[in-house]
Amino acid sequence: MASLKTQDILALSFMTFALFVGAGNIIFPPIIGLQAGPHVWTAALGFLITAVGLPVITIVALARVGGPMDALSGPIGRVAGGILAAACYLLVGPLFATPRTATASFEAGVAPLVGDTPLSLFVYTLLYFLVVLAVSLYPGKLLDTVGRFLAPLKILALGILGVAAFLLPHGTAGEASPAYQTAPFAQGFVNGYLTMDTLGALVFGIVIVNAIRSKGVDSLRLITRYAIIAGLSAGVGLALVYISLFRLGASSHEIASHASNGAAVLHVYIQTVFGDVGSAFFAILMFLACLVTAVGLTCACAEYFSRVLPISYRQLVFLLTAFALLVSNLGLTKLIQLSEPVLGAIYPPCIVMVALSFCWKFWHAPGRVVAPAMAVALIFGVCHALADIGQGNWQPAWLETLPLTSQGLAWLLPVLIVIVLGTALDAWRGPSVRREMALR
């Protein structure tokens, strides 16, 4: 039976870590640290659950079912599973994640040099996505080569930044914003959605499983074991990066108190501590890191939709990059504001799907429990998202009385109730006809 060598496991862990380290992982912890103030570590705990714990669990869940997302969404049916997959690919592609790579690299490195104006943003994003387009049209050795050189450089730079955050703090924590004063843990938990790493894990999980299989490993037990090792290793790396960036943000109140996003916090800190040389190095690092992430996301989305739509891969690359260019010109702060309610709506059903995938064996027909639980999670997620953008006046008053409503977790109790009722219904109805025929 084939198995991975130690160096293969290390390479797999390194690759998994590199898949998740993008613009969102770098820009969100500093602004949370700044806004949380003295409550930074309580907020950090909630953030680590959704930004580290859930992606790792998702990788393990995908490994257990063989890798592809449609296997994990099997209990909700092919149509619903296809809609969910399309939504995940669009969110981590042209709608939010890909445009965010351009705006984050612009605001972190270029805007301080040329000015943060609509024209400069447009020129930069136009050039940025022309490069993304050129590379994405011909994915292959070039992307792999850049990735091999980029990932070590990125880790080295993040390591230097992390050490500096602890050894060279630039002040003490300031006063927390009202949201973090009242519920720091819940705010950190919900803001962990913004990294989109759980959605990214659903998209990239098959890549990790295929990387294991490419070494000749066919045993599902070994695939799951190696995926767990890689996921945990990547999770530890992500946690260390986040902790250092939380520290950086919390200690930057005196120099970045008016920053509107994490990219601005990072720029001010690096400029203050390392000067112009450090700012230039960070700008180049952010550009290359975000560029490769954008290329990877564009290629993944184009490959997926070319299989489900009558549109060629090359045509999709043109469409996806053009759309991402338009969205990116909204600016980083506006883009984050738009993404918050959307991610708040789609994350709850994804969390339920991943969590319940470990319980399939306890039910005769998992769809009887998983489908209604995900539906309820989606309904409550949408209701909370609409309320956040001021469109919730039509909602019944009793929704506000549910536990954890103010923290964005009102879906939790209703979903648990539905799971209990679904389990009882499944036990009463027994095995489905289709399952009985399969067993025969």
Side-chain angles (χ1 to χ4, degrees):
M1 183 181 297
S3 60
L4 295 184
K5 299 178 181 179
T6 301
Q7 57 265 36
D8 293 329
I9 296 176
L10 290 175
L12 180 69
S13 301
F14 183 81
M15 182 199 75
T16 305
F17 175 78
L19 282 173
F20 288 111
V21 178
N25 308 90
I26 299 173
I27 65 174
F28 287 119
I31 193 65
I32 293 174
L34 179 69
Q35 294 176 346
H39 305 292
V40 58
W41 299 120
T42 304
L45 179 60
F47 185 90
L48 291 175
I49 291 175
T50 47
V52 177
L54 284 178
V56 172
I57 293 173
T58 301
I59 292 173
V60 176
L62 287 167
R64 293 177 69 250
V65 297
M69 182 179 171
D70 54 0
L72 199 64
S73 62
I76 65 175
R78 180 175 299 179
V79 174
I83 294 174
L84 180 63
C88 290
Y89 274 99
L90 288 173
L91 289 174
V92 300
L95 287 179
F96 295 126
T98 304
R100 193 173 68 188
T101 63
T103 54
S105 58
F106 171 78
E107 294 201 17
V110 179
L113 302 176
V114 302
D116 190 0
T117 65
L119 178 60
S120 59
L121 175 62
F122 175 75
V123 172
Y124 174 82
T125 54
L126 178 62
L127 296 174
Y128 180 92
F129 281 109
L130 283 175
V131 178
V132 172
L133 173 67
V135 179
S136 299
L137 285 173
Y138 305 97
K141 293 184 178 180
L142 179 61
L143 180 59
D144 293 335
T145 302
V146 172
R148 290 193 186 98
F149 285 107
L150 174 66
L153 177 63
K154 182 162 50 176
I155 291 175
L156 176 63
L158 289 173
I160 294 173
L161 192 60
V163 172
F166 280 93
L167 298 183
L168 301 172
H170 221 276
T172 58
E175 185 179 356
S177 65
Y180 284 98
Q181 289 178 4
T182 56
F185 176 85
Q187 283 297 314
F189 185 94
V190 174
N191 278 306
Y193 295 168
L194 299 178
T195 65
M196 301 192 211
D197 279 346
T198 299
L199 303 184
L202 289 170
V203 171
F204 290 125
I206 187 62
V207 177
I208 298 168
V209 172
N210 285 342
I212 299 172
R213 286 176 171 162
S214 68
K215 296 298 182 179
V217 179
D218 295 323
S219 168
L220 186 59
R221 180 178 60 84
L222 288 179
I223 290 174
T224 303
R225 177 191 300 176
Y226 294 139
I228 291 174
I229 294 173
L232 290 175
S233 300
V236 171
L238 282 172
L240 292 175
V241 170
Y242 289 146
I243 289 171
S244 64
L245 293 177
F246 277 123
R247 168 68 172 172
L248 183 152
S251 64
S252 298
H253 183 266
E254 295 178 7
I255 58 176
S257 59
H258 299 294
S260 60
N261 57 64
V265 177
L266 282 169
H267 172 74
V268 172
Y269 177 85
I270 292 172
Q271 178 67 37
T272 304
V273 175
F274 297 103
D276 293 337
V277 175
S279 295
F281 175 75
F282 180 70
I284 295 173
L285 169 70
M286 284 292 288
F287 172 78
L288 292 175
C290 292
L291 181 69
V292 172
T293 300
V295 171
L297 292 173
T298 301
C299 293
C301 289
E303 289 177 1
Y304 171 77
F305 286 109
S306 66
R307 294 196 303 268
V308 299
L309 296 174
I311 307 176
S312 69
Y313 172 86
R314 293 176 63 86
Q315 291 173 329
L316 282 166
V317 169
F318 277 99
L319 291 174
L320 292 171
T321 51
F323 188 82
L325 169 63
L326 293 175
V327 175
S328 65
N329 278 268
L330 294 173
L332 181 59
T333 300
K334 185 66 174 179
L335 196 57
I336 292 172
Q337 291 174 347
L338 290 174
S339 67
E340 286 179 354
V342 177
L343 295 174
I346 197 173
Y347 249 82
C350 289
I351 292 172
V352 172
M353 179 181 69
V354 172
L356 295 186
S357 69
F358 293 91
C359 306
W360 288 359
K361 64 181 180 180
F362 299 114
W363 300 310
H364 298 293
R368 295 171 182 166
V369 182
V370 177
M374 288 181 63
V376 169
L378 177 61
I379 291 171
F380 278 87
V382 170
C383 289
H384 181 76
L386 291 175
D388 278 349
I389 60 175
Q391 300 298 320
N393 295 332
W394 55 272
Q395 297 177 17
W398 60 265
L399 283 177
E400 297 297 324
T401 64
L402 289 173
L404 304 177
T405 296
S406 60
Q407 289 80 29
L409 301 174
W411 56 271
L412 190 57
L413 180 60
V415 166
L416 291 175
I417 294 173
V418 170
I419 291 174
V420 172
L421 295 176
T423 300
L425 175 64
D426 178 73
W428 176 66
R429 296 187 62 181
S432 64
V433 175
R434 182 179 300 177
R435 182 179 177 86
E436 289 177 341
M437 291 178 64
L439 292 174
R440 293 175 184 174

